[in-house]
Amino acid sequence: MDAADPVAEVAGAVLESAGELAGNGARSGAKLDRPPKPEFGDYSSNVPMLLAPAMRRPPREVAEQLAERVRGRLGGALERAEVAGPGFLNLFMSDEWYRAAVAAAVAAGDDYGRVAPTDREKVMVEFVSANPTGPPNAATGRHAAYGDALARILEFAGHEVEREYYVNDFGSQVQRFGESIRARARGEEPPEDGYQGDYVVDVAKQIDGAADMDVDELARRGVELMLESMRGTMERYRVRFDTFFRESELHAGEVERALEQLEGAGHVYESEGARWLRTTQFGDDKDRVLTRGTGAATYFAADIAYHQHKRERGFDRLIDVWGADHHGYVTRMKAAFEALGGDPDHLELVIMQLVNLMEGGQRAQMSKRAGTIVTLDELIDDIGVDAARFYMLQRSHDTTLDLDLRLAREQSQENPVYYVQYAHARIASILRKAGDERVADALSKDLAASEEVLHPSARALVKRLLELPAEVQTAADRRAPHRMTTYAHDVAQAFSAFYRDVRVVGAAEEGGDEDFRLALSAATKRVIARSLDLLGVEAPDHM
RNA sequence: GCCCCGAUAGCUCAGCUGGAUAGAGCGACUCCCUCCUAAGGAGUAGGCCGCAGGUUCGAAUCCUGCUCGGGGCGCCA
């Protein structure tokens, strides 16, 4: 049997058998599922129903033929195979198979769950990229948790990943930031369209002679101070960026170069004194301005240069994490990317839906401009990094997230994250009780040779652990870190049932194999730790 | 008007590249610590999976149309 992936071995047996029956063409859509009820076996396949039309036989008859061949292939790993319902093939695995499966997971050690990509890519994940004119807020927290977790997952799935923060340190907003700092330094109110928040006062205090300083210089220094503070918050939030790329760098020639390239490709025209990109050629509903009548480049032009710059840095794939308010920007960005010769499929623009910070049912506003903010730091102070990250990652990125502070605060002990962490700590406690030497000894045993008769709870737990590689793959492929939160919870739950039904330390007293149970517990601990790590959440040994 | 996202249990949401009797957490109610951590466990109640059609052996899942909610439609960034 394939020691590396017991589930793949089962799937392979089914697919190969199907190929023998109907030829290799008839396999698409074939799946190995985990059935909803124990009576339906450990694994089931819909293959018979898919093959039936091609074979011109009733699905259940096809299933019988398939069962025969699968039995031959799997031998002792299979307890029995049954045909059920409209034509499902249900497989019941033997203890022998389960023991070998645990042995395989244990043997993989900390690498368990790591998947080998068919196509290893160099990926850039650009995220947060919040304007450095205000403190990070809850939305920043969602973007940061998502981008970071996605990067962790892609790395674990075998890709080479770089994390970048694009700093918008250029243009009118930054200008207004400088003006606001100067006003505060002079003890005045910021301009109407400036930044009203108190943090501007703090920034002003940190810059000597701010009252008389040039606005551009003030803006520059202010941005650097904000960035420094952002970096601190991100570090606290366990988010690390490989690079901070400043928009201003692009205005020293990169933007002009990108525009010339577009012009050379014949996608640019002049009208009403402005230069336009013919994005309509690439599916946009209207053309977009590159340089204004004043001659100044638009933000769009800079962004084009930025993405061209990314391409030139040799990435196979660019993933940008954007806020919901940027969705209208997607088509034109992809259009520009394509106009420059890029493959639009290799530029992924992930749109994060909003975070609504609620306070006891009331909506808390999050406008950076008005300065009425619950900052990310305040959120972390309130509910902790682990809960904050887990909460932010629990939901799919394309659903609006309601985060009720009062609830998160009150329930911080009842939070799902604590449930998962508790399971981890509990296993740590069991292993402590057994002792390091006992555990090391158990892990070194030939578990496949164990005579442990698995309790249904143990079987359920093993099956959960075996899902890790597929979950990692799915989370990576679908850019869906939230999958790992559900999975982590499921594993914790499966362990709780195992803990309830099966004694680990002192297993011999109830006729069990302590070595096997210790190893299974250790493997579970690793899986939980891994799942949490991919989310950037800690896995404590004590709680 | 156009574009994006959503609509699943009282609340917040998983499940969505089609499978068997639709799940979790929280909330409500009833129980369980002589026993490796009760931050735990067992159970009960709670669903026209927004509506209407369509495709299919099979639809919460795919397609079309509608309804409602959120967001966006600058020579702002």
Side-chain angles (χ1 to χ4, degrees):
Chain A
M1 110 188 305
D2 180 358
D5 191 343
V7 182
E9 183 228 355
V10 176
V14 172
L15 289 181
E16 282 162 27
S17 302
E20 282 177 7
L21 282 178
N24 287 335
R27 288 192 194 177
S28 70
K31 283 197 307 189
L32 195 66
D33 282 318
R34 202 183 148 173
K37 305 274 284 182
E39 302 95 272
F40 297 149
D42 294 312
Y43 296 99
S44 78
S45 176
N46 60 350
V47 164
M49 287 174 284
L50 297 175
L51 294 188
M55 294 174 63
R56 295 193 204 171
R57 311 297 310 169
R60 289 187 63 102
E61 188 183 318
V62 174
E64 290 293 355
Q65 292 181 39
L66 192 65
E68 217 31 65
R69 290 172 189 270
V70 171
R71 277 187 202 106
R73 277 202 150 74
L74 290 176
L78 190 67
E79 194 175 285
R80 65 182 197 278
E82 288 179 356
V83 175
F88 287 102
L89 177 64
N90 293 340
L91 305 174
F92 298 76
M93 308 314 293
S94 66
D95 277 356
E96 175 188 322
W97 181 82
Y98 273 99
R99 292 189 296 253
V102 173
V106 167
D110 283 336
D111 276 336
Y112 179 61
R114 203 178 278 280
V115 286
T118 46
D119 187 17
R120 180 183 160 86
E121 291 184 317
K122 188 176 171 190
V123 184
M124 163 176 290
V125 181
E126 182 225 314
F127 62 110
V128 181
S129 300
N131 283 343
T133 50
N137 55 27
T140 315
R142 187 179 195 186
H143 287 222
Y146 176 87
D148 180 64
L150 179 61
R152 287 169 189 252
I153 289 165
L154 289 173
E155 271 166 359
F156 196 60
H159 298 290
E160 186 185 338
V161 182
E162 223 174 285
R163 302 139 197 246
E164 184 156 294
Y165 187 121
Y166 182 50
V167 184
N168 301 130
D169 63 341
F170 191 88
S172 57
Q173 292 206 36
V174 177
Q175 185 77 18
R176 280 202 295 278
F177 187 48
E179 287 163 5
S180 303
I181 297 171
R182 191 164 68 180
R184 288 301 192 188
R186 293 174 175 174
E188 298 163 4
E189 285 298 306
E192 193 120 320
D193 58 351
Y195 294 86
Q196 313 291 334
D198 290 343
Y199 63 91
V200 180
V201 178
D202 298 333
V203 170
K205 276 184 199 152
Q206 288 178 65
I207 303 173
D208 287 338
D212 303 308
M213 207 173 272
D214 172 61
V215 167
D216 287 336
E217 174 64 9
L218 262 184
R220 202 187 59 72
R221 308 250 312 245
V223 162
E224 290 310 314
L225 285 171
M226 293 308 295
L227 262 188
E228 198 179 305
S229 142
M230 167 68 77
R231 222 182 295 228
T233 305
M234 287 297 122
E235 195 174 323
R236 189 181 174 212
Y237 201 49
R238 299 184 201 123
V239 174
R240 170 187 60 75
F241 290 96
D242 296 298
T243 42
F244 284 79
F245 190 94
R246 288 169 175 72
E247 181 189 348
S248 54
E249 290 176 38
L250 297 167
H251 293 277
E254 295 283 336
V255 173
E256 230 4 83
R257 201 163 62 81
L259 296 190
E260 279 163 20
Q261 236 174 303
L262 285 170
E263 207 145 11
H267 299 303
V268 178
Y269 64 92
E270 287 205 22
S271 172
E272 303 161 60
R275 272 200 287 179
W276 299 71
L277 178 63
R278 218 182 296 275
T279 52
T280 46
Q281 262 186 4
F282 302 94
D284 203 357
D285 52 4
K286 58 180 177 184
D287 293 336
R288 308 290 172 176
V289 173
L290 293 169
T291 59
R292 286 165 258 202
T294 62
T298 59
Y299 178 79
F300 181 43
D303 225 3
I304 292 170
Y306 176 44
H307 283 82
Q308 180 68 351
H309 192 274
K310 283 188 190 175
R311 271 183 72 208
E312 287 167 356
R313 279 188 272 166
F315 291 99
D316 303 311
R317 185 169 297 279
L318 305 177
I319 301 177
D320 292 6
V321 180
W322 285 358
D325 55 343
H326 278 62
H327 97 265
Y329 210 71
V330 170
T331 311
R332 78 188 71 163
M333 192 64 244
K334 293 190 86 133
F337 193 73
E338 196 174 353
L340 280 167
D343 178 349
D345 289 339
H346 289 216
L347 171 63
E348 296 179 27
L349 307 171
V350 178
I351 299 300
M352 301 289 293
Q353 293 302 314
L354 303 181
V355 180
N356 293 324
L357 269 195
M358 313 292 280
E359 181 69 62
Q362 280 279 10
R363 184 111 158 234
Q365 261 301 7
M366 292 194 303
S367 166
K368 199 178 285 195
R369 302 288 294 275
T372 53
I373 327 169
V374 175
T375 67
L376 180 54
D377 279 302
E378 287 166 347
L379 183 68
I380 297 171
D381 290 340
D382 216 347
I383 64 178
V385 174
D386 286 337
R389 288 192 60 131
F390 201 88
Y391 250 91
M392 293 291 189
L393 289 170
Q394 233 181 335
R395 311 310 184 194
S396 161
H397 67 84
D398 54 15
T399 188
T400 308
L401 181 70
D402 279 0
L403 203 163
D404 194 313
L405 294 173
R406 187 181 295 175
L407 222 59
R409 207 174 292 132
E410 281 173 5
Q411 296 175 354
S412 62
Q413 298 297 303
E414 298 292 323
N415 229 305
V417 66
Y418 292 100
Y419 180 85
V420 178
Q421 291 182 319
Y422 184 70
H424 184 270
R426 191 183 241 172
I427 297 171
S429 168
I430 292 172
L431 299 183
R432 268 197 303 277
K433 178 158 184 168
D436 289 349
E437 277 182 41
R438 254 318 271 120
V439 175
D441 183 47
L443 289 173
S444 68
K445 291 278 174 58
D446 178 8
L447 297 171
S450 165
E451 291 184 1
E452 173 80 354
V453 176
L454 279 88
H455 187 281
S457 297
R459 288 170 160 248
L461 175 59
V462 174
K463 268 189 285 181
R464 275 292 179 219
L465 301 186
L466 293 177
E467 288 172 8
L468 180 64
E471 269 315 307
V472 169
Q473 190 73 63
T474 303
D477 289 349
R478 300 193 195 173
R479 321 294 189 225
H482 75 278
R483 286 232 157 209
M484 296 310 303
T485 66
T486 304
Y487 176 71
H489 187 270
D490 287 346
V491 174
Q493 208 162 45
F495 185 81
S496 293
F498 170 76
Y499 171 82
R500 176 194 65 219
D501 296 332
V502 178
R503 189 156 185 89
V504 178
V505 176
E509 290 168 31
E510 54 182 40
D513 178 351
E514 188 178 275
D515 287 334
F516 180 82
R517 295 178 185 180
L518 278 173
L520 175 54
S521 300
T524 305
K525 184 167 179 282
R526 278 186 196 146
V527 168
I528 293 176
R530 173 62 65 195
S531 306
L532 290 178
D533 179 64
L534 292 175
L535 298 166
V537 173
E538 289 188 332
D541 281 347
H542 297 271
M543 282 185 82

